[in-house]
Amino acid sequence: MGAGIRDRQSSASYVHGSFGAGKSHFLAITSLLLGNDRVAWSQPELHELLGKHEWVKGSRVLRLHFHMVGARSLEEKVFAEYLARVGAEHPEAPVPPLFEDVALFEAARTSSDPAERARLFSALVKTPLFSAYAKGSSSYVAFDPGLGILARHAASLGYTAVVLFLDELILWFASRASDRTWLN
């Protein structure tokens, strides 16, 4: 994670283990450490680790936790949680354009300026007429470009990094493996 922050690169890791091995607990403790939790770092066994990862002290990491079993899509699970979290913690912030906006408004959709499109989208979904759309829609942009939107939005709010803890991701994939269209 430190190298990802330093080099401004996305990275992924996964925890592999048998059922009951403590993967979820490991993710919870990792989240506390990334959040620079004083109680977690007070454990003597972790002092040497903190010495090797001083960057944690100066980083503001947005940590989002997901239990993937039962999710309809990765986009819906991740983007909905992000919107809810930043909406609660930063109500004054513009709404990131994570929704598929084709059905909402033609003028902004045809704009060639992404910043203008984002401003128009945010202004639109904050109006009483369209605020319900943002709260109830499951029409999100595709995951890859959406992660870029999410990362830029989080950076504009002062976060150093966003970490997605996707618990039970492989189990979720396995439960949907018979649906080839969905899996593809």
Side-chain angles (χ1 to χ4, degrees):
M1 164 113 351
I5 290 172
R6 183 191 66 236
D7 300 340
R8 301 182 55 81
Q9 293 286 323
S10 294
S11 62
S13 297
Y14 71 94
V15 178
H16 173 73
S18 300
F19 179 77
K23 299 177 299 293
S24 297
H25 182 73
F26 178 80
L27 293 178
I29 297 300
T30 301
S31 178
L32 290 172
L33 297 176
L34 289 173
N36 200 22
D37 184 87
R38 183 178 46 82
V39 175
W41 282 118
S42 71
Q43 301 303 309
E45 302 85 13
L46 298 176
H47 292 173
E48 184 179 335
L49 183 64
L50 181 58
K52 293 177 182 178
H53 302 284
E54 291 283 328
W55 58 268
V56 171
K57 293 179 182 177
S59 296
R60 187 169 172 227
V61 178
L62 178 60
R63 298 157 292 134
L64 300 173
H65 299 262
F66 308 94
H67 191 272
M68 295 304 297
V69 174
R72 287 190 285 186
S73 73
L74 201 52
E75 292 87 356
E76 184 175 357
K77 195 75 167 179
V78 171
F79 298 156
E81 173 62 22
Y82 178 78
L83 290 165
R85 180 80 168 275
V86 299
E89 294 182 18
H90 306 278
E92 75 293 344
V95 177
L98 290 170
F99 296 101
E100 183 55 55
D101 57 6
V102 174
L104 280 178
F105 57 107
E106 187 65 23
R109 189 181 69 78
T110 59
S111 172
S112 61
D113 180 2
E116 176 187 25
R117 186 173 171 170
R119 280 191 309 277
L120 289 170
F121 179 82
S122 182
L124 181 65
V125 297
K126 283 187 172 186
T127 65
L129 182 60
F130 287 104
S131 62
Y133 178 83
K135 290 181 179 138
S137 176
S138 61
S139 299
Y140 294 99
V141 297
F143 195 66
D144 286 345
L147 283 179
I149 292 168
L150 187 150
R152 287 187 296 280
H153 188 263
S156 77
L157 298 175
Y159 292 100
T160 308
V162 177
V163 176
L164 309 177
F165 291 95
L166 302 169
D167 200 5
E168 303 294 0
L169 179 66
I170 300 304
L171 183 60
W172 177 59
F173 281 142
S175 72
R176 304 285 307 264
S178 64
D179 183 349
R180 287 185 177 251
T181 303
W182 178 87
L183 194 58
N184 287 333

